Amino acid sequence: MEKIQHSHVQVRGLKLHVVQTGTVAFDFRGYGLSDHPPEPERANFNDLADDVVALLDSLAIDKAFLVGKDFGAFPAFTVAVTHPERVLGVITLGVPFLIPGPLGVQFDLLPKGYYVIRWAEPGRAEADFGRFDVKTVVRNIYILFCRSDLQVAGDNEEIMDLVDPSTPLPPWFTEEDLDVYATLYQNSGFRTALQVPYRCMQLDCGITNPKVIAPSLLIMGEKDYVMKSPGMEDYIRKGIVKQFMPNLDIIFMSEGNHFVQEQLPEQVNELILSFLAKN
């Protein structure tokens, strides 16, 4: 394997942590080892999309394949819609085509105790998470969201209460993995991470009539809880999503959950490399 190089690249006034091994991965603003924006509570998905384009400019990359997992799919879609000339293809895991704004994730259709709604409420997640150390919060998140059901809290409980402390980590996520993730969140905190995605998800991103023309791939786990979201099953399985992404291939992984890239890394990497080779 090529040697992995770490660096920081100045992008739109912030230093973003970049990992390169021939190609590029980076920590979004406010995540991992990248800087926080000066006003995290004003951050939104357009900031992330603009960072992607500015990072490509900084690294003198004319066109790139964009790969996004979960909410990382949103800026990938946004860049593909607004800067199609910079995008060779789009690969997303766990989230089909959605654009931030009122027509994206429709909060009014979600159960009122659903984690997305709870964490969108300023201060609520902070109070919930604040009862535990960072490592326990990350542990609980992995335990919760590898399940196949929507995580919905009752009126008198919080999302962290949905985890029995005795529940083991999933077998594909080690204590060493947990240590690395926890250390990164101890560094970054959850301030920007709660703003983007949860608290800016309904902000209109200014895109009308969105369409991604680039070759695209969606990898979904059959056991991903996202499939239980209202309308999601039909949107994906009946091909409604292809109205927005006409050149989309969809692959379902029968045992896959929401963390399919960590759960089944060899299979996911093979699917990604096959797509890249074909396009």
Side-chain angles (χ1 to χ4, degrees):
M1 186 175 180
E2 298 176 62
K3 182 174 173 57
I4 295 175
Q5 297 178 317
H6 293 260
S7 62
H8 281 81
V9 176
Q10 195 78 19
V11 172
R12 301 176 63 236
L14 302 178
K15 287 190 297 183
L16 300 187
H17 174 236
V18 175
V19 178
Q20 290 177 271
T21 172
T23 51
V24 179
F26 71 100
D27 295 335
F28 278 126
R29 54 174 57 206
Y31 280 83
L33 301 177
S34 289
D35 286 349
H36 280 280
E39 297 180 274
E41 286 72 27
R42 295 173 66 88
N44 59 60
F45 280 108
N46 282 349
D47 288 326
L48 304 193
D50 290 345
D51 283 350
V52 172
V53 175
L55 181 61
L56 294 178
D57 290 342
S58 295
L59 298 173
I61 297 172
D62 182 40
K63 295 185 176 185
F65 287 95
L66 303 181
V67 184
K69 165 71 177 74
D70 191 71
F71 91 81
F74 284 75
F77 295 142
T78 301
V79 172
V81 170
T82 58
H83 296 277
E85 74 285 355
R86 307 300 298 270
V87 178
L88 291 167
V90 179
I91 302 170
T92 63
L93 297 91
V95 171
F97 182 84
L98 291 170
I99 287 291
L103 298 180
V105 177
Q106 295 180 308
F107 276 43
D108 58 321
L109 299 180
L110 298 172
K112 68 173 184 176
Y114 190 43
Y115 84 97
V116 170
I117 292 179
R118 289 290 182 88
W119 293 354
E121 182 182 332
R124 187 145 194 176
E126 289 88 338
D128 186 11
F129 294 0
R131 299 177 294 156
F132 309 96
D133 60 36
V134 170
K135 188 172 181 178
T136 300
V137 173
V138 177
R139 175 190 289 273
N140 288 351
I141 286 171
Y142 265 84
I143 290 170
L144 279 176
F145 298 115
C146 69
R147 297 173 179 171
S148 60
D149 294 318
L150 299 181
Q151 298 308 308
V152 181
D155 291 343
N156 297 315
E157 63 182 353
E158 299 298 329
I159 299 300
M160 291 291 107
D161 297 328
L162 300 177
V163 181
D164 183 328
S166 66
T167 305
L169 286 171
W172 40 265
F173 191 70
T174 67
E175 289 288 342
E176 290 75 19
D177 295 331
L178 178 60
D179 285 341
V180 171
Y181 278 61
T183 298
L184 288 170
Y185 275 104
Q186 282 164 352
N187 174 68
S188 68
F190 296 102
R191 188 177 174 190
T192 305
L194 287 167
Q195 172 65 19
V196 185
Y198 303 106
R199 294 171 187 168
C200 70
M201 202 176 288
Q202 293 191 290
L203 291 177
D204 192 336
C205 63
I207 293 174
T208 57
N209 192 29
K211 186 163 284 192
V212 175
I213 302 302
S216 305
L217 174 65
L218 169 62
I219 301 172
M220 289 294 303
E222 294 271 10
K223 298 179 179 178
D224 189 330
Y225 72 87
V226 170
M227 293 293 290
K228 301 277 183 69
S229 297
M232 191 62 72
E233 188 96 19
D234 284 350
Y235 182 60
I236 298 174
R237 291 196 190 276
K238 292 185 178 179
I240 300 170
V241 62
K242 293 188 180 182
Q243 294 176 12
F244 305 100
M245 302 184 82
N247 297 309
L248 174 67
D249 291 330
I250 304 172
I251 296 177
F252 290 98
M253 304 189 75
S254 59
E255 295 303 312
N257 62 40
H258 191 60
F259 299 106
V260 67
Q261 81 286 358
E262 292 166 276
Q263 176 197 12
L264 303 166
E266 293 84 6
Q267 295 96 311
V268 169
N269 284 340
E270 186 176 331
L271 291 172
I272 291 174
L273 291 172
S274 175
F275 174 85
L276 296 178
K278 189 171 65 174
N279 294 287

